[in-house]
Amino acid sequence: QVQLEESGGGLVQAGGSLTLSCAASGRTFSNYDMAWFRQAPGKEREFIAYIIRIDDSTYYTDSVKGRFSISRDNAKNTLYLAMSSLKPEDTAVYYCAARRPSTGNVRTEISYDYWGQGTQVTVSS
């Protein structure tokens, strides 16, 4: 079992920045590939970013490329999402997720084994 807990959400003005954290406990954090998803009101949860455990290679959905950065600190068992140039459409609950190494599609929820409870990010215009 891996327990995940997000933090760092809040209210920010458009154009601002925010960094989310996801603290992991339980199994060895470095054994898992990690991702961030988000869910806006009335919408399905969507993939944002992914980081591979082996070499920290990253992958982003187009809408956040150049604005968001995913990273991890295995010594601290923590995943991060640095967000800049935030837009009102970035308003959502943000979730971190973990999966055992797999060939499954990184953009799909079913590929992940563990989820956090989410943290709210609200971007005002």
Side-chain angles (χ1 to χ4, degrees):
Q1 283 280 351
V2 174
Q3 292 78 44
L4 302 173
E5 183 174 2
E6 303 91 341
S7 62
L11 175 64
V12 63
Q13 288 189 333
S17 300
L18 207 57
T19 296
L20 306 182
S21 299
C22 171
S25 60
R27 300 279 186 170
T28 304
F29 176 69
S30 59
N31 287 346
Y32 294 84
D33 296 329
M34 302 294 296
W36 286 97
F37 285 73
R38 68 185 179 188
Q39 187 168 21
K43 295 187 177 181
E44 294 185 352
R45 191 151 51 182
E46 66 168 341
F47 166 82
I48 301 174
Y50 178 76
I51 185 165
I52 299 174
R53 69 183 181 91
I54 295 177
D55 59 5
D56 286 352
S57 294
T58 57
Y59 173 66
Y60 300 91
T61 196
D62 287 346
S63 63
V64 306
K65 281 181 181 177
R67 300 190 300 122
F68 290 12
S69 178
I70 186 172
S71 62
R72 64 192 298 164
D73 185 335
N74 289 336
K76 295 183 178 180
N77 293 336
T78 303
L79 176 74
Y80 302 99
L81 184 69
M83 305 183 293
S84 62
S85 301
L86 283 162
K87 305 174 182 180
E89 51 263 44
D90 293 319
T91 295
V93 178
Y94 284 70
Y95 299 89
C96 61
R99 73 173 198 173
R100 303 176 190 88
S102 168
T103 57
N105 188 334
V106 304
R107 302 178 68 96
T108 60
E109 294 182 57
I110 61 173
S111 294
Y112 294 85
D113 303 295
Y114 304 103
W115 292 84
Q117 294 299 308
T119 186
Q120 176 71 48
V121 172
T122 303
V123 184
S124 63
S125 56

